[in-house]
Amino acid sequence: MRFTRSVLGATAVAALSLGATTALAAPASAAPNTTPQKVCGSGYKTVNSAAVGTLGTVYLAYNATNGNNCVVTIRNNPGLAVDMSSWIYVPATNEGDDDYGRYTSYAGPSYVIGKGYCVDWGGGIANTTVQVTGSNCGSLTEHRTTTTR
């Protein structure tokens, strides 16, 4: 299964409709110096990133000790809560994780075991999303798509 804009959009709508109370009641908050390592936890190192327009960056981090990948989307300028997301998916294992909600600073962390596999990942801030497919697979070339609604 490949993520597409329609799948991501449907997932975001479903996640927000099912968990809107939780997402709105407890938005993520962070100091301006938030880093992927602070959000993902000890042992994670950034292995890839993609700009979310001019609004922020979505980061892919990896922990070599446990084989987990982590994705977090961090705003350049934290402020009032806006729609944000982070997601990761391993096509070979059909495993994934995501976080969609209204946040002031960052979305995520989203975790999946990905050691030895290609991963698809991405995130969004307000009306801009980025999707990276076929990533971190050695010699294969990843594909990036940025969409602004």
Side-chain angles (χ1 to χ4, degrees):
M1 176 178 136
R2 286 196 120 179
F3 277 90
T4 62
R5 197 172 107 189
S6 61
V7 170
L8 290 175
T11 303
V13 170
L16 287 173
S17 66
L18 291 173
T21 304
T22 302
L24 293 174
S29 174
N33 64 351
T34 296
T35 66
Q37 291 72 28
K38 287 181 180 178
V39 177
C40 293
S42 177
Y44 284 87
K45 304 229 183 293
T46 299
V47 295
N48 210 331
S49 64
V52 184
T54 60
L55 303 173
T57 304
V58 59
Y59 297 92
L60 173 65
Y62 181 70
N63 184 321
T65 303
N66 62 22
N68 279 345
N69 285 310
C70 174
V71 174
V72 60
T73 303
I74 301 176
R75 287 172 65 178
N76 288 339
N77 299 303
L80 296 175
V82 297
D83 290 336
M84 293 185 69
S85 64
S86 72
W87 61 270
I88 186 165
Y89 176 70
V90 180
T93 63
N94 200 32
E95 295 293 326
D97 189 28
D98 57 47
D99 180 33
Y100 294 90
R102 293 185 60 79
Y103 300 120
T104 60
S105 184
Y106 67 89
S110 301
Y111 297 100
V112 70
I113 295 173
K115 184 176 184 171
Y117 298 110
C118 298
V119 294
D120 297 347
W121 54 279
I125 302 170
N127 64 345
T128 303
T129 59
V130 64
Q131 173 177 314
V132 182
T133 56
S135 177
N136 295 67
C137 308
S139 64
L140 297 177
T141 303
E142 68 185 22
H143 177 72
R144 292 179 181 227
T145 306
T146 301
T147 306
T148 302
R149 292 179 263 139

